[in-house]
Amino acid sequence: MSPLLTITNLNKIYHRHQPDEVIALRDISLKITAGEVVALTGPSGSGKTTLLSLLGCMSKPTSGSIQLRGRLVSKLPERFLAQIRRTSFGFVFQQYNLLRDVSVLENVMLPLYPSNQSFRVMKKTAGAVLERFELQKMMRKKVKQLSGGEQQRVAIARALVANPDIIIADEPTAHLDSNLSEILLGILANLNTEGKTIIIATHDPAIYQSPLIQRRVSLRHGEIVEDKNQ
Amino acid sequence: MRRQLKILEYTLSSLIRRKAKNFSLIVVYAFTIATLGSVLFLTHALKEEATGSLTEAPALTVQRISAGRHDLIPTHYTTTIKHLPGVKSVTPRVWGYYYDSLIKANLTLIGSNNPPAELLLLDGNLPENPQECAIGKGVADAFGPAIGDNLVLEDNEQKSNRFKITGIFQAESSLLTNDLVILPETTLRTFFSMDPEMATDLVVEVYNPREIKTLAKKIKYLLPDTRPISRDEILHTYDTLFNWRSGMMLAVAIAALISFCILAWDKATGISATEKQEIGILKALGWETADVLTAKFWEGLVLSLTSFLLGILAAWIHVFVFAAPALVPLLKGWSVLFPKFQLTPAIDFYQLFVLAFLTIGPYLVCTIIPSWKTAVTDPEQIMRG
Amino acid sequence: MILHPGILSLLSGSLLTLLVMLIASGLGIRILLSWDASSSSEGQIILERKTWLVSTLVNYALGFQIFSAFLFIATAEDIHQLFVGAMCATGSLNANLVGWLVLLIKGILLFAAALWVILNRLDQRTEDCPLVRQKYFALLLLTPLVALDGYLQWRYFRGLQPEIITSCCGSLFSADGESVVSELAGMPARQAMLLFFSMTGTHLIVLSACLRFKATILRPLLFMTAVLMLFISLGAIISFISLYIYQMPSHHCPFDMLQSHYGYVGYPIYAALFIATLYGMLPGICQPLRQHESIEKEVDRIERNWLWFSLWATLIFLLISCWQMVFGSFTLLGY
Ligand SMILES: Nc1ncnc2c1ncn2[C@@H]1O[C@H](COP(=O)(O)OP(=O)(O)O)[C@@H](O)[C@H]1O
Ligand SMILES: [Mg+2]
């Protein structure tokens, strides 16, 4: 099976050639096949978020290449990266990054604005995803009126609304109690059975030791120290 | 196209969400537009009034010049002019100014043979007997007399003359007829102690308006001490005067506009943390830089148009309902000419176009760079909170 | 010089546009000097972001130019009262002959800026942006044109003296003068119509051929028909279209139709002509750019839209300008 994502000799250096230069990633090579569930682990500052943002086409590497389904994306202009982000990736951020003063429905619709869908179709699509997570009743509520668990589901619904193949989650359980972590794992397991590829950065053992995780990649100081299937 | 409209929709909802922040901007913006708008509306309306009242003015007026000043003209000049080809009629006019020290105002006294056209008699009739008069509405308001009362005017020998008021009139444009008093011509001559062989000026009517220029030349040639003035010439003088005035005031108002731009710049640059966060989220979710720029463009346009509508509405009310109380002090030169005026509301697309060009353009330019700065927010930042 | 609100806003608008273009050119020079598509250094990423600023600046400048072209003509209309003998914009423009030059430069600027904006958009849609150098070089040529426009405009307004006696459309566009325009006005109507309709007809035929066939020769041909159509149509407006619009046998003015008296019918006429020409020119201009594979792909994708735009605009132009000819009571032929 051909890999979904291939990265070769990837380096990411912040503030290059300046006194405060930081080498966040060093010579990383990695292949991820479709349908895999990968956990990126490592201590804080080891480069997990940096690697996720490169994989998710949020930023460009200093050197090295990233290929998505065989297409070289690391050199594309930013507008193409944005296009790839909204069609191929669903993001669940650490703090969810929802617009707090905006209704649940509008939050979920956000990734669809730059598409060619009509407004009506957009609403329908978003409504369907919300229904799946039993959020349809609070569609009109503002995000800040929701509980932590509900916000988490809204964030996941938003990540799924454009029907991406790859879900990227950065420490999704960092601020959750174990009960909510369980629910999240359940949802992710469901998504995986639908064929979605999932990449999670975490240092929560409850996550990376769960049976859902098929592969664990450990980072330290920007380098891969371990890559094993579980 | 559809994408643009969807982004417009998003912009509208985010503007409503931040109404408190935008409210102050709209107020200041609308105020600036109202200032500029008042200047434009006022000058335009005054110009219209003046030219409007002049269209009824005689095509050619002949004055006599003596020692470089306007002097009385002998009535026998009438015959000389009448014999020129193309002249329809020549009428001598008797009129003059009268300063009333009591109400401190200038009145224009005019003989009843040549009252200005398009007079609207409100009440009563024009004077027929000596010792009678008709007055303009402005005069009635200033002195407070009604029909049947007496108007008391002092002549050169400090002798009081009483005139019975038989009518009150108004013109469509009150600008030039406000201070008018109509008296029978003979009475007026006595009052001004004017020689019966003399008149204030001559009014010439012609058959073909194209010949006015040649006629004026001929009159000047035959009667070298006269000055023929055509209506067109007066119109041009007015136009120049008005444009100059409004230009001056506009220059002042543009200073206001510039200070507004500085404010707008400041406002656009000082983007709040939550807004920056919001743009970052949008970009992380796949909005392109161009989409954010579009959103910012719509935002600027919606804010501008809202303020524009509010501003011109305010300017309209200021000028046409309240007669521009804030600008009248700037109009010293005019207020002598036009003691009191009620302007006829007139809006012209060209004025609105100029106003829009002058106000919306600079605002949009002020927001380009700040908008771009937000639009290129790095989505990666969002990953790190 | 006349202190007139319209003149003041035109002059300040020109200054503003020039400022915007100067900023854009400054950025353009920096991009030209250090653009390196193969690099992914932070510097290159910043440059890439700056290209968006430049596009936005030029887009706004173009928008400004469009409005200022309208405002210029409207102002010339408005100030005609100041000049003895002027009845419309023609008279005001005759009062200081630089006015005609300003009008010409504004026309050229509109086409140049619109082409830049469209080609820039095309380039931004490709993954490798092959036109970066050409684009920013062209930008450096566009800016002096904006400056020239601003300068001439200033010269024009400064040179206006209210006492000037000028000649208006009646004499300039009359059939018995000796200038080129008089020749146009004096041209027999039947001949002028024949030329006009065969030209627009040719343009429409070449357009349809372009829509149907991919042949390379057709695109430059279309470019030529579009440009020819522009000039011949402008001539036709003076020669006979204006007569039908005003319903008068000898009123040849190209500006009066912009007045409210004629329902502002001139605006859609000129706008449609502009769009028809612009989009007719584009496929031809893009022909040499097809050497870049990515541009070729984009052009192939979008060209049909351009052709349709041009087609529709030509038809609308024909419809509005010839409406009176077909349905009006005024007849010119047969005199
Ligand atoms: N914008 C930035 N500028 C400078 N250094 C950065 C920036 N972003 C991240 N870093 C550095 O890169 C390293 C990796 O960070 P990160 O990927 O966030 O680690 P993790 O997610 O594993 O905690 C850290 O040392 C961090 O300080
Ligand atoms: Mg992290």
Side-chain angles (χ1 to χ4, degrees), chain C residues 60 115 282 309 324:
Chain C
Y60 276 75
L115 284 175
L282 271 168
F309 279 150
Q324 293 281 10

Side-chain angles (χ1 to χ4, degrees), chain B residues 36-341:
Chain B
L36 271 166
S38 299
V39 173
L40 286 185
F41 286 173
L42 179 66
T43 48
H44 182 69
L46 283 173
K47 194 161 108 179
E48 291 283 291
E49 294 276 304
T51 46
S53 52
L54 277 174
T55 46
E56 293 294 323
L60 191 63
T61 322
V62 181
Q63 294 178 344
R64 181 166 160 238
I65 298 296
S66 147
R69 297 183 59 107
H70 176 193
D71 201 357
L72 298 179
I73 192 164
T75 38
H76 68 80
Y77 279 17
T78 319
T79 22
T80 322
I81 298 174
K82 204 174 231 153
H83 285 115
L84 290 170
V87 173
K88 195 158 128 197
S89 68
V90 186
T91 342
R93 282 201 304 193
V94 179
W95 60 274
Y97 296 118
Y98 171 83
Y99 181 72
D100 190 302
S101 50
L102 213 65
I103 57 159
K104 296 194 168 53
N106 249 320
L107 299 180
T108 307
L109 311 185
I110 191 164
S112 59
N113 292 14
N114 314 82
E118 37 100 47
L119 271 192
L120 180 70
L121 211 53
L122 284 184
D123 220 345
N125 50 283
L126 289 180
E128 280 151 11
N129 307 314
Q131 310 310 319
E132 278 184 1
C133 73
I135 57 176
K137 191 149 183 323
V139 185
D141 290 347
F143 286 85
I147 291 186
D149 290 355
N150 283 330
L151 184 71
V152 186
L153 304 175
E154 255 180 18
D155 63 19
N156 289 352
E157 285 130 37
Q158 308 253 303
K159 206 174 77 203
S160 286
N161 292 275
R162 294 174 169 275
F163 300 102
K164 189 160 169 259
I165 297 169
T166 57
I168 296 177
F169 57 84
Q170 194 183 28
E172 194 178 325
S173 148
S174 48
L175 215 65
L176 296 177
T177 45
N178 231 331
D179 58 347
L180 221 54
V181 175
I182 300 182
L183 298 160
E185 198 180 300
T186 36
T187 316
L188 194 57
R189 277 186 200 279
T190 339
F191 183 77
F192 282 142
S193 31
M194 202 189 271
D195 198 308
E197 294 294 289
M198 298 298 236
T200 315
D201 52 23
L202 306 178
V203 170
V204 182
E205 292 296 333
V206 292
Y207 288 109
N208 182 357
R210 281 167 190 240
E211 285 172 8
I212 288 178
K213 273 211 119 43
T214 4
L215 262 179
K217 265 187 212 149
K218 279 188 194 156
I219 294 172
K220 179 88 191 142
Y221 177 74
L222 291 174
L223 307 162
D225 62 340
T226 58
R227 178 171 69 181
I229 305 170
S230 72
R231 182 172 57 212
D232 283 352
E233 272 173 322
I234 306 179
L235 274 176
H236 291 160
T237 317
Y238 266 115
D239 247 354
T240 323
L241 174 75
F242 280 115
N243 285 328
W244 189 77
R245 288 282 182 175
S246 66
M248 285 312 285
M249 290 209 290
L250 214 59
V252 178
I254 283 175
L257 185 68
I258 290 171
S259 46
F260 164 72
C261 283
I262 294 170
L263 179 97
W265 174 273
D266 189 54
K267 198 97 179 164
T269 329
I271 174 173
S272 70
T274 44
E275 203 183 337
K276 194 149 177 71
Q277 161 101 354
E278 179 177 331
I279 303 289
I281 293 173
L282 295 179
K283 290 206 69 183
L285 293 176
W287 285 47
E288 290 165 24
T289 305
D291 295 324
V292 182
L293 284 170
T294 311
K296 286 280 158 192
F297 167 73
W298 283 128
E299 187 180 305
L301 201 64
V302 169
L303 281 176
S304 306
L305 289 180
T306 315
S307 314
F308 187 73
L309 287 180
L310 289 175
I312 53 172
L313 193 68
W316 198 86
I317 292 173
H318 173 223
V319 172
F320 296 116
V321 178
F322 296 112
L327 287 178
V328 166
L330 291 171
L331 296 177
K332 284 244 163 61
W334 282 330
S335 49
V336 175
L337 261 175
F338 315 124
K340 188 180 170 194
F341 50 76

